[in-house]
Amino acid sequence: MAERRPSSFNFRALILAGLAVLALLLVLFGPMFLDRFTLNVLTRSMIYAMLAITVDLLWGFTGVLTFGQAAFFGIGAYAAAMILTHMGASPGLIALAFALAIIVPMLVGLVVGWLSFSYKATPLYATVISLVLPIVTTQVVFSGGQWTGSSSGLVGYGTLPFGLVGFFRLAGVCLLVLTVAAWFFVRSDAGKLLVAIRDNEVRCAYLGLNPQRLKIALTTVLAGVAGLAGFLFANSSGVVAPEITGFVFGTELVIWTALGGRGTIIGPVMGTIGIDYLSANLSGELPFLWNLVIGTLFVAMIILLPNGLAALVAKFLPARRGAGAMRLTNLAAAGAQVTAPEEAALLSVKDLGKTYGSLKVLEGLDFDIRPGELVSLVGPNGAGKTSLMRCLSDGTEISSGVVRVAGQEINGRTPNEIVALGVGRKFQVASVFESLAVADCLRLALAARHRPSPVTRESDLALPTAALDILRLTGLDHMLERPVADLSHGLKQSLELAMVVALEPRLILLDEPTAGLTKTERTTIGGILQKLTRELGIAAIVVEHDLDFVRTISSRVVVLHQGRLVLDGTVDAVANSELVKTIYSGGAHG
Amino acid sequence: MADAAAKLSLEGVASGYGAINIITELSLAVKAGEIFALMGKNGMGKTTLLKTILGLIGLRAGAIAVDGRSIAGASPASLIASGIAYGPQEQALFQDLSIKDNLRLALRSDRELDNGLDHVYGHFPFMKERLAQKAGTLSGGEQKMLILARALMLKPKLLLLDEISEGLQPSVVTRIANALKDERQKNGTTILLVEQNLDFALGIADRWAVLKLGRIDDEGDVAPEARQKILEHLKI
Amino acid sequence: MIVLLDIVTTAAILFVVASGLLAIFGVLKIINFAHGAWLTLGGYCAVVTTALGLNPWTALPLAFVAGALLGAITEMVIVRPLYRRPLDAILATWGLGIVIGQLITLWFGRDVQFTPNLLSGTVDLFGASYSIYRLFTIAAALIIGCAFAFLLEGTRLGLSTRAVIMNETLARALGIDVARVRLITFMIGTGLTGLAGVLLTPLTSVDPNMGVGWLIGAFMLVMVAGSSFAALAFACLIFGGAQVMVSTFVSPILGGITVAVLCALVLRVSPKGFSRG
């Protein structure tokens, strides 16, 4: 028993597979022993649970708090009910209703996504839009006259010919399929993108991914799923009313998801079915008390147990472990990584300026950097070093002047577009994905160029040689399944560097890569930087305070002071400069 | 361990942000009535140290004592009320508030306002005429003087100043140096300066220390040979 | 002319309703989604004073005190642990709103309650009669606006509060008790919201859900206004005006969503809304 510990991952998967089979049996044979009332309620609960999954994927996994899923559900339900009421319920029209119940919410979802997620929009803004959507939808339904049935809704239209038991099974199977699909998706390589966006959207953009577009796509697809649930609801209940499109229903979905456990798939499903079923049974006898209990539980849960009941249950299950070992392989170099033949500038900065309101932080900067150069950027606090790094990696930050990377102007381009030009940026505080494993972080660095699988988590991880070297030098290659949150600070810095190098950049920007590291770790990082520039011809700009360190790695030093470039020369020229001495002993002004 | 005569003593202090310890095992004692200059290059933890003393950043290890009494866990508000003042380096003024409101914010009650203002006018007479002027419209030197003036409003017993001479003309540096010497002479204020300006620091300090990678690398009395020694540490 | 009066009085009512939410958001950067519940609480304070046979105006101070006390408990128990999780704070306060709503239902029942009008009658203006109470709301909005201006610009607490809004780190480094400023702000905000609930009673019916309908409008206005009362007044006039115009000339139902839709669009174009002035 001590020799061959059975993989606890398999044990966990076994439990879940067992649950799925049990659920399928319940769905198929439930009608044989459940009464009509229960069947009715559970059909509704299971449809709501499908919605809870969509809320959970958006909020629990991606971090976008949404109240808007009710609106997509309502739009889908109304689209179906309106076709069935006003045009009829022939098989062809039912098919049309089915298609529209999915397509219309998706179109609305596309617009809502485009509105919600623009570059530099705050996370709160998406929530704001998700509040406005159901309110608008409800009012549109109210003002729809006989088309929507206004406040009394639509009733008495023809539906799918299934009957109570048929709808129970249909809803159950749909829920089961959606649950299993979502369960596989969030564990797949592509599914890790959602958590990556929640953890660190900035890093996603600086890996060349477009988080805005991903969130718009997710919103659109999940709007379609909500619309499908709406179609099922319109058919099984035979009635649609304005409340199902509304904001209050939207908040209920969030409450069920929260109580069940955001960030898990099973939690919200169980939470929704459990609470909605109990509500239906209890609200007859003690309607207000029941809601009071739910409200109180919800508040307590948000404060004390933000991850819901599922987190509590998970504590008693064996810890999840990687299935088998992740295998590192060498990625065939995408482009020929040789030193550029001509001495053309890779980066060219002309008269760059950056202002915040009336404050000038950078003014009139001019310099070029050629492939293979390792340039150190030094200067006292507030000299504008970090602002410069930001301007070079995010074209929307540039106030004046022109920056070109490999001849292409980057002014106005967002970070992910600049990454595509071959610029990698490492931040001062290690910017990685805390909730993911080391291997997932590295794979995300490849995701912009190699579409990740939406179904499985691959066991091969092919990385460029330079990234592999960093992993081997730091020992990270033996920690591929380790959660990033458990890594030391130095290892996080190394991991981020490996992720940036895995992008195969031509220019790499590093903001204080050695801050807070031990002496050994600094030496390791220094060695890696030299290898990258000398052997692979990558250009690098390093912000660094420690001039002893600069001396060991650097071919060229650029000195910034009060937003201006005051010196550009070799390490020795800078070290012997009277001007630099004055700046650093505090005397210089103006 | 705490030195009885020490106004401020730190013993094995560690602190930092997130996963990083900026300060590690730092020990230091500043005597009552002393001006102590803490030198060091950027990123070596000078600002972090001051914020840790004031309770703005949590203490992760070690002990900090003022007048021999531990201040671990005390809130910034209570430390300031007990006679500590702090002049931060960056974003140290409310740019949209007047000189007067900036000075008022050093106090907990307007009853102390007249006394405080009189005290400050003694050092920087120009403020008297320009109380209503917005801090953001002051020159760089005037802003630094306002930061210092605000720290002096309550006649603190222990003054912590973060690069108060940064980016200033020699004439302004002299005015600030005079104000500090004057304050110490009249009120016996203990002053801990965090500095990169060697001339200013050695001009007024009694003792110095060099901070490197979160610890004290070297320390000594201010003496003619100290300058060269510190330059070696700060060399660029 | 009547339309113009409608615009101004609508703006005044919106301002009264949203100012408590703005005070809290401006300082704490937290959205009190139980805002509607405090409006309801205020409404029921009017119900209680009526039942006790007191002068209807005594409901105002009663609602302020009740709102502020409940606000103090809320800040300490629910909001304080969530300052670093602002989205969770929205949810927790929404949950609190449900709890308060259900407690009120348990106590008073879910039926609509009636309260005496604070000011009744109409006055002839521009050849038509106009409700005196709607005119009074203009005065109420002005009083609340001026009271806030005085509190912020003229008092020590206001100075500390402005310091916390402008630069919380620096305020802390100067020894300002940020926790106390937050607590007092939350109490003032919720007290004021209770008071606004009383002021709403002549305009709407009092029932356990009376506040919820106002929540989204107030929330959207606050998002646009940021932390400035002047910006809030401006937003109320613009969007309140648009609401009146749409309701009058297009459809009352669409008028009900005008504020929310326009605010959302403004925020899309300029994420900081009107707060930069």
Side-chain angles (χ1 to χ4, degrees):
Chain A
M1 166 163 130
E3 283 170 9
R4 281 202 54 187
R5 193 165 44 89
S7 165
S8 44
F9 173 84
N10 290 339
F11 176 59
R12 209 183 160 95
L14 216 61
I15 293 182
L16 291 165
L19 267 180
V21 171
L22 189 69
L24 187 65
L25 291 176
L26 270 179
V27 163
L28 293 180
F29 298 105
M32 297 166 82
F33 54 86
L34 294 172
D35 60 46
R36 283 187 66 81
F37 175 78
T38 310
L39 282 178
N40 243 324
V41 171
L42 281 180
T43 305
R44 186 186 72 184
S45 305
M46 290 190 296
I47 293 173
Y48 288 173
M50 293 173 71
L51 286 177
I53 290 178
T54 68
V55 170
D56 189 35
L57 287 172
L58 278 166
W59 175 45
F61 285 90
T62 320
V64 181
L65 175 58
T66 176
F67 300 106
Q69 290 308 105
F72 296 126
F73 173 73
I75 292 170
Y78 265 94
M82 281 162 72
I83 296 285
L84 298 174
T85 305
H86 300 296
M87 296 175 72
S90 69
L93 287 171
I94 288 183
L96 176 69
F98 175 74
L100 285 182
I102 294 175
I103 292 169
V104 177
M106 283 182 82
L107 290 177
V108 179
L110 191 64
V111 174
V112 166
W114 174 81
L115 266 175
S116 303
F117 308 113
S118 59
Y119 185 55
K120 288 184 180 172
T122 63
L124 191 56
Y125 184 66
T127 304
V128 168
I129 293 291
S130 84
L131 279 172
V132 174
L133 174 69
I135 289 170
V136 170
T137 311
T138 309
Q139 295 302 329
V140 168
V141 168
F142 272 126
S143 58
Q146 59 161 2
W147 287 104
T148 58
S150 197
S151 59
S152 47
L154 295 172
V155 68
Y157 46 81
T159 63
L160 286 169
F162 285 162
L164 184 60
V165 171
F167 280 121
F168 175 83
R169 287 182 176 145
L170 178 64
V173 170
C174 284
L175 173 63
L176 199 62
V177 169
L178 181 65
T179 308
V180 171
W183 194 86
F184 274 103
F185 175 65
V186 297
R187 276 160 185 74
S188 74
D189 290 329
K192 295 289 192 302
L193 275 169
L194 307 190
V195 176
I197 290 173
R198 181 188 72 195
D199 271 10
N200 191 341
E201 190 170 332
V202 173
R203 179 32 91 197
C204 287
Y206 282 97
L207 289 179
L209 301 163
N210 187 335
Q212 287 79 37
R213 194 174 300 167
L214 287 167
K215 285 194 281 189
I216 293 172
L218 187 68
T219 305
T220 309
V221 170
L222 293 180
V225 175
L228 169 68
F231 175 80
L232 291 176
F233 181 84
N235 276 280
S236 65
S237 72
V239 54
V240 291
E243 288 73 39
I244 59 165
T245 66
F247 149 73
V248 173
F249 182 47
T251 60
E252 278 183 279
L253 292 172
V254 173
I255 292 175
W256 297 335
T257 307
L259 289 178
R262 66 174 110 158
T264 66
I265 295 293
I266 312 292
V269 170
M270 299 300 222
T272 304
I273 296 179
I275 295 169
D276 190 52
Y277 178 72
L278 283 177
S279 294
N281 282 284
L282 296 179
S283 62
E285 295 155 45
L286 25 125
F288 311 124
L289 206 57
W290 169 246
N291 281 335
L292 185 68
V293 170
I294 290 291
T296 314
L297 259 182
F298 175 61
V299 175
M301 195 74 100
I302 290 286
I303 298 174
L304 303 173
L305 200 66
N307 292 321
L309 285 175
L312 209 60
V313 175
K315 276 188 190 162
F316 298 103
L317 287 176
R320 182 183 306 151
R321 301 188 64 89
M326 184 68 64
R327 237 164 21 114
L328 282 175
T329 57
N330 206 329
L331 184 70
Q337 279 283 355
V338 285
T339 321
E342 80 278 39
E343 286 290 275
L346 179 60
L347 172 76
S348 126
V349 177
K350 291 268 175 294
D351 197 28
L352 173 66
K354 167 76 187 165
T355 53
Y356 290 103
S358 59
L359 183 69
K360 285 184 184 168
V361 287
L362 294 175
E363 208 180 343
L365 297 188
D366 281 294
F367 62 90
D368 286 348
I369 290 178
R370 287 185 295 278
E373 269 192 303
L374 203 172
V375 178
S376 289
L377 189 59
V378 302
N381 272 340
K385 301 180 298 280
T386 300
S387 296
L388 174 58
M389 296 300 243
R390 206 175 287 146
C391 286
L392 297 182
S393 54
D394 180 351
T396 64
E397 292 278 336
I398 298 171
S399 304
S400 61
V402 179
V403 177
R404 286 198 178 79
V405 173
Q408 303 226 41
E409 190 174 320
I410 64 164
N411 291 41
R413 298 200 194 193
T414 52
N416 55 305
E417 295 169 325
I418 295 173
V419 170
L421 291 176
V423 178
R425 178 174 176 196
K426 196 202 151 308
F427 290 83
Q428 183 175 355
V429 175
S431 174
V432 287
F433 305 111
E434 296 279 335
S435 325
L436 295 178
V438 171
D440 296 321
C441 288
L442 290 163
R443 195 183 301 281
L444 283 166
L446 306 170
R449 289 170 297 155
H450 305 270
R451 185 176 285 272
S453 160
V455 188
T456 60
R457 186 164 181 263
E458 308 219 356
S459 57
D460 281 358
L461 179 59
L463 291 171
T465 321
L468 288 177
D469 287 345
I470 297 173
L471 298 181
R472 290 197 183 111
L473 270 174
T474 53
L476 275 170
D477 56 340
H478 297 297
M479 307 177 190
L480 291 173
E481 295 295 347
R482 189 87 75 81
V484 171
D486 294 352
L487 296 183
S488 74
H489 169 64
L491 283 175
K492 281 183 194 169
Q493 295 281 27
S494 306
L495 172 61
E496 191 192 11
L497 186 59
M499 287 160 68
V500 174
V501 168
L503 295 168
E504 297 186 88
R506 290 188 281 183
L507 169 65
I508 182 164
L509 308 173
L510 303 106
D511 201 342
E512 301 197 31
T514 62
L517 296 192
T518 65
K519 199 144 190 127
T520 347
E521 287 168 333
R522 292 158 82 88
T523 316
T524 311
I525 297 263
I528 291 168
L529 289 180
Q530 282 178 303
K531 189 176 155 78
L532 288 176
T533 49
R534 287 186 194 157
E535 293 176 20
L536 298 173
I538 298 175
I541 305 181
V542 183
V543 172
E544 186 53 66
H545 288 305
D546 184 356
L547 276 153
D548 292 336
F549 181 68
V550 167
R551 191 184 297 273
T552 60
I553 60 163
S554 194
S555 54
R556 179 177 155 201
V557 180
V558 168
V559 184
L560 282 190
H561 182 51
Q562 299 188 343
R564 292 175 170 277
L565 197 159
V566 293
L567 209 84
D568 181 350
T570 62
V571 181
D572 287 327
V574 169
N576 294 326
S577 151
E578 281 305 317
L579 178 63
V580 173
K581 274 185 193 161
T582 340
I583 290 173
Y584 269 86
S585 65
H589 51 86
Chain B
M1 288 287 280
D3 185 347
K7 177 72 188 170
L8 169 71
S9 69
L10 293 90
E11 198 66 53
V13 165
S15 78
Y17 304 91
I20 315 175
N21 269 353
I22 308 270
I23 302 279
T24 49
E25 290 181 43
L26 186 146
S27 297
L28 182 73
V30 182
K31 292 179 205 146
E34 182 174 53
I35 298 183
F36 193 101
L38 190 60
M39 317 288 293
K41 286 183 281 191
N42 278 323
M44 294 301 163
K46 303 189 301 288
T47 301
T48 309
L49 177 63
L50 292 189
K51 288 187 173 174
T52 308
I53 295 172
L54 205 65
L56 292 166
I57 302 177
L59 183 65
R60 291 184 176 172
I64 304 179
V66 172
D67 294 325
R69 276 194 305 273
S70 168
I71 58 166
S75 72
S78 68
L79 290 172
I80 287 166
S82 77
I84 302 180
Y86 171 47
Q89 180 193 8
E90 285 177 334
Q91 300 194 355
L93 292 172
F94 295 100
Q95 303 281 331
D96 293 332
L97 294 184
S98 64
I99 292 185
K100 185 180 175 187
D101 281 345
N102 268 287
L103 292 173
R104 271 173 80 196
L105 281 167
L107 314 172
R108 293 289 75 80
S109 150
D110 281 347
R111 272 169 303 179
E112 300 150 315
L113 185 61
D114 288 341
N115 275 337
L117 287 178
D118 284 343
H119 180 59
V120 164
Y121 296 153
H123 293 301
F124 307 109
F126 78 93
M127 287 181 190
K128 192 169 188 171
E129 310 301 324
R130 294 160 65 182
L131 276 182
Q133 191 176 343
K134 290 242 169 88
T137 64
L138 297 174
S139 73
E142 288 165 342
Q143 295 204 4
K144 284 290 191 186
M145 286 188 261
L146 179 55
I147 294 169
L148 177 56
R150 188 181 55 201
L152 295 177
M153 280 293 277
L154 284 171
K155 296 186 192 160
K157 297 283 179 290
L158 174 61
L159 178 58
L160 312 172
L161 290 176
D162 197 349
E163 305 220 10
I164 195 70
S165 71
E166 185 203 12
L168 297 184
Q169 300 174 17
S171 65
V172 180
V173 174
T174 312
R175 287 177 73 180
I176 286 181
N178 288 339
L180 290 176
K181 283 191 255 184
D182 199 35
E183 187 74 18
R184 191 247 306 247
Q185 193 183 357
K186 284 185 186 149
N187 300 321
T189 316
T190 308
I191 304 175
L192 175 59
L193 298 172
V194 154
E195 269 303 331
Q196 297 204 49
N197 184 337
L198 198 55
D199 299 330
F200 166 71
L202 293 184
I204 62 168
D206 308 307
R207 287 198 300 140
W208 57 268
V210 171
L211 190 63
K212 193 165 189 186
L213 291 175
R215 324 165 173 234
I216 300 293
D217 203 38
D218 197 2
E219 59 183 313
D221 293 332
V222 170
E225 69 276 12
R227 187 185 166 81
Q228 197 50 45
K229 214 168 168 185
I230 299 173
L231 264 179
E232 279 302 308
H233 286 293
L234 302 181
K235 80 166 180 259
I236 171 156
Chain C
M1 283 325 282
I2 291 299
V3 170
L4 204 64
L5 272 179
D6 276 344
I7 288 177
V8 178
T9 52
T10 303
I13 294 163
L14 287 173
F15 183 84
V16 169
V17 168
S19 51
L21 192 64
L22 181 84
I24 293 170
F25 179 69
V27 180
L28 286 72
K29 303 288 174 260
I30 288 285
I31 293 152
N32 175 22
F33 242 48
H35 187 71
W38 261 276
L39 290 171
T40 312
L41 182 80
Y44 277 86
C45 283
V47 172
V48 169
T49 43
T50 310
L52 294 174
L54 296 170
N55 182 329
W57 291 93
T58 52
L60 288 175
L62 177 69
F64 187 86
V65 171
L69 285 180
L70 188 60
I73 300 170
T74 305
E75 201 276 341
M76 288 189 275
V77 177
I78 295 178
V79 178
R80 200 166 283 180
L82 299 177
Y83 279 118
R84 282 159 192 276
R85 294 190 270 148
L87 289 183
D88 281 1
I90 294 183
L91 293 175
T93 48
W94 172 256
L96 174 71
I98 295 176
V99 171
I100 294 176
Q102 297 305 323
L103 285 175
I104 288 176
T105 311
L106 281 175
W107 198 271
F108 294 95
R110 67 195 311 177
D111 303 331
V112 175
Q113 307 271 342
F114 293 96
T115 55
N117 210 335
L118 292 167
L119 283 173
S120 54
T122 58
V123 61
D124 284 331
L125 277 175
F126 312 112
S129 61
Y130 205 80
S131 150
I132 293 181
Y133 188 75
R134 280 191 78 97
L135 292 174
F136 166 74
T137 57
I138 302 175
L142 286 176
I143 292 171
I144 289 175
C146 291
F148 265 110
F150 170 74
L151 207 60
L152 279 175
E153 303 290 330
T155 66
R156 231 228 90 99
L157 175 68
L159 181 65
S160 303
T161 308
R162 278 186 292 155
V164 172
I165 294 174
M166 289 182 214
N167 186 341
E168 193 179 315
T169 319
L170 178 56
R172 208 184 290 273
L174 293 179
I176 291 172
D177 189 343
V178 175
R180 185 171 150 266
V181 169
R182 282 174 172 165
L183 175 64
I184 295 176
T185 308
F186 201 87
M187 289 175 70
I188 292 176
T190 48
L192 195 67
T193 306
L195 195 140
V198 178
L199 292 173
L200 281 179
T201 52
L203 302 167
T204 60
S205 55
V206 176
D207 66 66
N209 290 317
M210 72 174 259
V212 177
W214 293 91
L215 169 67
I216 302 301
F219 167 70
M220 298 303 291
L221 287 166
V222 167
M223 288 290 97
V224 170
S227 57
S228 153
F229 277 92
L232 178 65
F234 181 64
C236 288
L237 272 174
I238 298 283
F239 299 123
Q243 177 185 328
V244 171
M245 302 300 264
V246 173
S247 302
T248 313
F249 299 113
V250 187
S251 133
I253 292 180
L254 292 182
I257 56 174
T258 312
V259 172
V261 171
L262 287 181
C263 288
L265 292 178
V266 166
L267 286 172
R268 163 75 205 209
V269 177
S270 158
K272 287 190 174 174
F274 295 161
S275 59
R276 272 179 298 186

